[in-house]
Amino acid sequence: MATISSPGIGSGLDVNSIITQLMAIERKPLTQLETDQTKIQSQISEVGKIKSALSKFRDVAAKLASTDFWKQTTGTSSSSAVGVTTSSTASPASFEVEVSALAKAQAIASPAVASSSTTLGSGTLTIQRAGGGDPFNIAIDGADTLAAIRDKINAAGAGVTASILTDSSGARLMMRANATGTDNAFTTTVSGTGLDGLTFDAGTQAGGATRAQQASNLAATVNNLPVSSSSNTLTDVLDGVTLTLSAETAGPVTIDVAADTESLKKTLTEFGTAYTDLAKLIVTDTKYDAASKKAGPLQGDSAIVGLQNRLRSMLGASSGASTAFSRLSDVGFEMQQDGSLTVNSTKLDKAIANLPQLKALFSNSSLTDANLDGFGKRFRVVASDILGVDGTLTTRTTGLNDKLTRNQKSQDRMEERLAQTQARLEKQYSALDAKLGALNGLSSYVTAQVAQWNKA
């Protein structure tokens, strides 16, 4: 704020103080606009938090509305030799698995040489997979050491990994198939000189290299039916079930596939938590604290209060989706006086024991009668509608942002008017100061003259 240069020097008036006090009065409308701005920003922030909480609640409701969610299964094995994982396509069942032989990968070793720095010869090493496909040709230079040959094999992408084994006899080049099974066995041939120790025939199991391990397929039984595979992981034997076999078994291993009730209960509990978080946030934003005489930022906001009433009404409603349960309270979701939702674990466990009907209560969908829709679908649809482009909360946010923009424009206009008002006051008080200064000077002159006259 500009000030008058040497104000009051002629008149003795505290011009700066006068203008400051006058401008403080003039600024009161601007101060109110700034207060309103802070309030609007707080409202926008709180509506954003409610939107986020509602979005989280919608996502959990959508999960419960999905029929695939209720198909979750879990698998257990009576032995660590057989691991089991399941997907939503698996059906609850029990079966027995017995492993007589694991699938193995072919491995060969070249004759020992002095060290990994020893050269073998020159020519071409060809690697051919038993299961078919194009051969891989690897050019070997006479200057290539055993280590260099290893690196070239590994860079060829032939489905074989090379390494060097060093012991008291010297250094050997080891080659091992990257995958198990007879289809992944490989034959090596050479052309040139000095490379015969790298040859091996997967069919005859003979060559210049020595067989360290023969390729073989998995041999197992599932419910006494024989199963053969090039891999120790079975993904297509049973629908939705993956078996990972890590050791031969002395007898049958029992595999049990059942509904994953722990995961189901966890998500159902998350549904109650997400609703409670949303309900508490709305209560905090809309309440009036009589002790502090302070209102929440969204007290009386029709959009937020309407959302609160709608959710509470839906929570206490009944549904014909299930023949065993009609309300959420029947399966353990109990509304509290403060609007929160608690989960009665005992009730919920009993409901989970009747999984088909619990599933219907949340996921049933009817195209003809909304009363037959499950609660998961109901809350998902309503929340998506409220959060949509034309939804209540989206419209409310837009309205608040527009209000904030108008407030800022009003502040800008007010700032301009205040600058003009201050400039006018400074001009007026500068003129007044000058005039009073002149009058004071004239008064002093006249006083001095009168004093002279009296002396005379």
Side-chain angles (χ1 to χ4, degrees):
M1 189 179 291
T3 58
I4 301 172
S5 178
S6 302
I9 195 169
S11 64
L13 293 175
D14 189 352
V15 175
N16 273 342
S17 176
I18 294 171
I19 294 177
T20 297
Q21 293 179 55
L22 290 173
M23 289 305 299
I25 297 172
E26 295 288 339
R27 287 187 64 86
K28 283 185 177 180
L30 179 60
T31 301
Q32 183 59 51
L33 286 172
E34 291 170 342
T35 300
D36 293 344
Q37 180 186 49
T38 300
K39 181 179 179 181
I40 297 169
Q41 289 171 334
S42 176
Q43 290 172 330
I44 292 173
S45 174
E46 293 308 310
V47 171
K49 291 177 183 178
I50 291 174
K51 289 174 68 176
S52 177
L54 180 60
S55 177
K56 182 178 179 180
F57 176 63
R58 176 198 58 190
D59 293 344
V60 181
K63 190 181 292 187
L64 295 176
S66 169
T67 55
D68 285 342
F69 165 78
W70 297 93
K71 295 178 181 178
Q72 293 182 89
T73 56
T74 184
T76 57
S77 172
S78 64
S79 170
S80 60
V82 182
V84 56
T85 57
T86 63
S87 70
S88 61
T89 59
S91 299
S94 293
F95 48 92
E96 293 185 336
V97 177
E98 193 166 0
V99 182
S100 55
L102 291 174
K104 296 179 181 178
Q106 176 185 311
I108 61 174
S110 71
V113 295
S115 71
S116 61
S117 300
T118 302
T119 59
L120 300 182
S122 63
T124 302
L125 170 64
T126 300
I127 301 175
Q128 175 67 60
R129 181 174 172 270
D134 294 332
F136 290 85
N137 297 315
I138 302 167
I140 298 176
D141 187 86
D144 285 338
T145 63
L146 199 65
I149 295 173
R150 173 200 63 196
D151 295 341
K152 284 188 173 182
I153 293 172
N154 290 336
V160 173
T161 297
S163 59
I164 294 176
L165 174 66
T166 302
D167 58 18
S168 59
S169 300
R172 293 182 177 84
L173 183 69
M174 303 284 293
M175 284 185 276
R176 180 184 175 88
N178 292 341
T180 57
T182 56
D183 281 348
N184 294 303
F186 59 94
T187 291
T188 58
T189 57
V190 298
S191 64
T193 59
L195 302 177
D196 291 344
L198 302 181
T199 62
F200 186 82
D201 189 315
T204 63
Q205 297 290 298
T210 302
R211 183 187 72 191
Q213 180 170 275
Q214 184 175 354
S216 62
N217 287 343
L218 168 75
T221 61
V222 177
N223 283 350
N224 292 320
L225 296 175
V227 174
S228 178
S229 172
S230 62
S231 170
N232 290 315
T233 300
L234 301 177
T235 58
D236 54 2
V237 175
L238 297 163
D239 287 341
V241 179
T242 298
L243 300 176
T244 304
L245 313 175
S246 59
E248 297 175 2
T249 61
V253 174
T254 302
I255 302 297
D256 291 313
V257 177
D260 189 357
T261 55
E262 287 301 316
S263 293
L264 295 176
K265 186 174 182 180
K266 180 176 180 292
T267 303
L268 287 163
T269 302
E270 288 173 355
F271 173 81
T273 300
Y275 180 90
T276 294
D277 291 344
L278 173 60
K280 286 185 175 181
L281 181 59
I282 293 176
V283 168
T284 299
D285 283 337
T286 57
K287 73 177 181 180
Y288 176 78
D289 190 334
S292 64
K293 296 183 179 180
K294 185 176 180 181
L298 298 175
Q299 187 191 32
D301 190 305
S302 59
I304 305 304
V305 173
L307 169 62
Q308 181 184 50
N309 292 336
R310 190 172 184 182
L311 291 175
R312 286 180 175 178
S313 175
M314 290 177 64
L315 200 65
S318 61
S319 169
S322 166
T323 58
F325 312 111
S326 62
R327 298 178 184 275
L328 287 174
S329 57
D330 294 339
V331 297
F333 294 95
E334 300 171 349
M335 174 80 81
Q336 305 302 303
Q337 286 187 346
D338 62 357
S340 63
L341 197 63
T342 60
V343 180
N344 185 316
S345 185
T346 301
K347 272 189 176 183
L348 185 57
D349 286 340
K350 289 181 179 179
I352 290 175
N354 190 355
L355 199 56
Q357 290 302 314
L358 181 61
K359 171 188 173 183
L361 184 66
F362 281 95
S363 66
N364 196 58
S365 180
S366 173
L367 298 176
T368 58
D369 187 353
N371 290 322
L372 300 180
D373 285 337
F375 283 101
K377 179 187 176 183
R378 292 183 182 187
F379 281 112
R380 183 203 68 202
V381 170
V382 168
S384 295
D385 178 61
I386 292 171
L387 293 168
V389 176
D390 298 322
T392 305
L393 292 187
T394 303
T395 302
R396 185 65 181 123
T397 300
T398 300
L400 287 170
N401 281 319
D402 290 344
K403 188 176 181 181
L404 185 63
T405 299
R406 292 194 298 272
N407 177 281
Q408 186 59 57
K409 289 181 178 179
S410 296
Q411 286 191 53
D412 293 340
R413 290 193 297 269
M414 180 63 70
E415 290 281 10
E416 291 177 5
R417 288 198 297 272
L418 288 172
Q420 293 170 358
T421 299
Q422 179 159 336
R424 186 184 71 251
L425 289 173
E426 288 174 350
K427 183 177 180 181
Q428 291 173 340
Y429 275 91
S430 292
L432 176 62
D433 185 47
K435 182 158 259 182
L436 287 175
L439 290 174
N440 286 338
L442 179 59
S443 175
S444 298
Y445 172 76
V446 171
T447 300
Q449 289 298 317
V450 170
Q452 289 295 329
W453 291 339
N454 289 336
K455 286 181 182 179

